[in-house]
Amino acid sequence: LLASVLVLSPGALLAADMTIGFSQIGSESGWRAAETTVTRQEAESRGIELKFADAQQKQENQIKAIRGFIAQGVDAILLAPVVATGWDEVLEEAKDAEIPVVLLDRTVDAPEDLYLTAVTSDLVHEGRVAGEWLAEEMAGEDCRIVELQGTTGSSPAIDRKKGFEEGIAGQDNLEIVRSQTGDFTRAQGKVVMESFLKAEGGDTICALYAHNDDMAVGAIQAIKEAGLKPGEDIKIVAIDAVPDAHLAIANGEMNATIELTPNMAGPALDALEAYLANGTEPAKWIQTESKLYTAADDNQAVYEEKKNLGY
Ligand code: AHR
């Protein structure tokens, strides 16, 4: 009985005694790589043993990793879910094993009692800020927009699309003429932008909205190769605020980006430490901040600052 009480109730576990499994999506973007670095640093500075599993963009690998963590009896699991659906069964298994799961940077379509908390930004808000920025920038001028979506079925791709559409709603001068996934990668951002330019004719596209900076950076290359000026001929707004986006804005090749902190692990581990030490239940959603950067900011300085942060 004593043993089962110790297993069933969270309590008295110190960070230095914790082993945490981290199921990471992969390394599709600069932001993702930074999140991995920061998570490792956060765990190390607290004396937490972190077991890291890179899923190489596949949900089945994430499910396998979570089952492996459960079998190893970790104290908690961090999960950055590649897509939003299909998690119920494995989250039930973690729950049955009394292992709290914290979601990082993306949300899932699963009952809330299957995870302890989610540390994410307001993904719809990010898209809305991008749309509102473009609406203001165009000030009533006609503008044909192309959109590079994130990974199909992922919560940021769904929510950032929705938010952007809300941000430009009611602006008859703005129209999304093409929208396709670039899978959050630079390489696909370039390939898909090339196809947009070919299909539409470069001079008819007025703006690009990319669901992350890496795709925007790939698209910038495609725009230049098409003989056009990114940031001038085609306005560009994206999300993440990675160093290369700040540099592109400083160079006039991109116009705006919305910051997503790569430090999701800090708040996640704070919540887990409190929960495992004394059972303190965190809020279901721990929201990180979103900040808009434009050419009005000192992007060269921010670029240099961020370069030292693990990006
Ligand atoms: O879930 C967060 C998104 O995933 C980031 O915006 C993107 O760069 C990453 O790959």
Side-chain angles (χ1 to χ4, degrees):
L1 176 70
L2 182 61
S4 72
V5 169
L6 286 175
V7 172
L8 288 178
S9 52
L13 193 59
L14 298 172
D17 301 323
M18 283 180 204
T19 299
I20 293 182
F22 176 24
S23 171
Q24 176 60 296
I25 293 169
S27 50
E28 72 281 2
S29 64
W31 184 90
R32 181 71 50 204
E35 185 192 49
T36 296
T37 304
V38 174
T39 305
R40 288 187 195 278
Q41 287 166 350
E42 279 288 335
E44 198 185 331
S45 69
R46 295 164 196 244
I48 294 171
E49 188 189 339
L50 191 76
K51 291 182 181 289
F52 180 79
D54 177 337
Q56 315 223 324
Q57 314 300 129
K58 292 200 172 78
Q59 184 179 34
E60 68 206 64
N61 290 345
Q62 293 205 282
I63 292 174
K64 251 188 238 160
I66 294 169
R67 292 200 167 121
F69 293 145
I70 295 171
Q72 291 166 60
V74 297
D75 301 301
I77 293 171
L78 300 177
L79 167 64
V82 61
V83 289
T85 56
W87 298 102
D88 295 41
E89 195 180 329
V90 75
L91 290 179
E92 289 275 5
E93 291 168 30
K95 192 179 178 196
D96 290 347
E98 303 275 332
I99 298 174
V101 175
V102 174
L103 305 177
L104 292 192
D105 72 83
R106 296 186 184 184
T107 54
V108 295
D109 292 339
E112 281 192 353
D113 65 313
L114 295 184
Y115 57 88
L116 183 68
T117 181
V119 182
T120 76
S121 58
D122 184 334
L123 298 157
V124 176
H125 172 75
E126 291 167 344
R128 201 181 300 120
V129 170
E132 286 168 355
W133 174 84
L134 187 63
E136 204 180 314
E137 181 75 8
M138 295 320 298
E141 243 179 80
D142 283 347
C143 183
R144 303 175 85 243
I145 305 162
V146 294
E147 177 182 28
L148 284 168
Q149 296 181 36
T151 301
T152 305
S154 69
S155 64
I158 297 163
D159 291 348
R160 287 173 181 170
K161 179 165 187 47
K162 179 173 181 269
F164 186 80
E165 285 168 1
E166 286 174 14
I168 63 167
Q171 309 284 334
D172 295 341
N173 57 315
L174 305 181
E175 185 193 359
I176 300 173
V177 292
R178 301 235 161 213
S179 180
Q180 204 179 306
T181 182
D183 217 5
F184 281 131
T185 69
R186 256 177 219 222
Q188 275 305 105
K190 180 167 186 278
V191 168
V192 178
M193 190 67 207
E194 280 165 356
S195 75
F196 287 162
L197 289 163
K198 205 166 159 204
E200 289 294 322
D203 51 359
T204 71
I205 298 172
C206 144
L208 162 68
Y209 165 48
H211 291 190
N212 82 345
D213 287 339
D214 276 66
M215 292 190 293
V217 170
I220 286 173
Q221 196 55 38
I223 294 167
K224 283 188 191 169
E225 286 172 16
L228 296 163
K229 284 194 180 135
E232 279 182 42
D233 296 329
I234 298 180
K235 303 272 180 210
I236 303 176
V237 56
I239 295 165
D240 277 355
V242 296
D244 282 353
H246 288 292
L247 193 58
I249 298 175
N251 294 337
E253 294 185 336
M254 189 167 157
N255 308 87
T257 184
I258 296 127
E259 185 169 53
L260 177 69
T261 176
N263 189 5
M264 303 277 158
L269 295 178
D270 286 347
L272 275 172
E273 280 185 36
Y275 179 73
L276 292 171
N278 51 39
T280 306
E281 287 274 349
K284 266 294 155 194
W285 183 23
I286 300 173
Q287 188 186 340
T288 62
E289 276 178 31
S290 310
K291 174 174 159 33
L292 173 71
Y293 282 92
T294 66
D297 297 289
D298 186 349
N299 284 280
Q300 185 66 40
V302 184
Y303 166 74
E304 276 148 29
E305 232 172 76
K306 286 192 175 178
K307 264 313 221 189
N308 303 320
L309 283 181
Y311 281 93

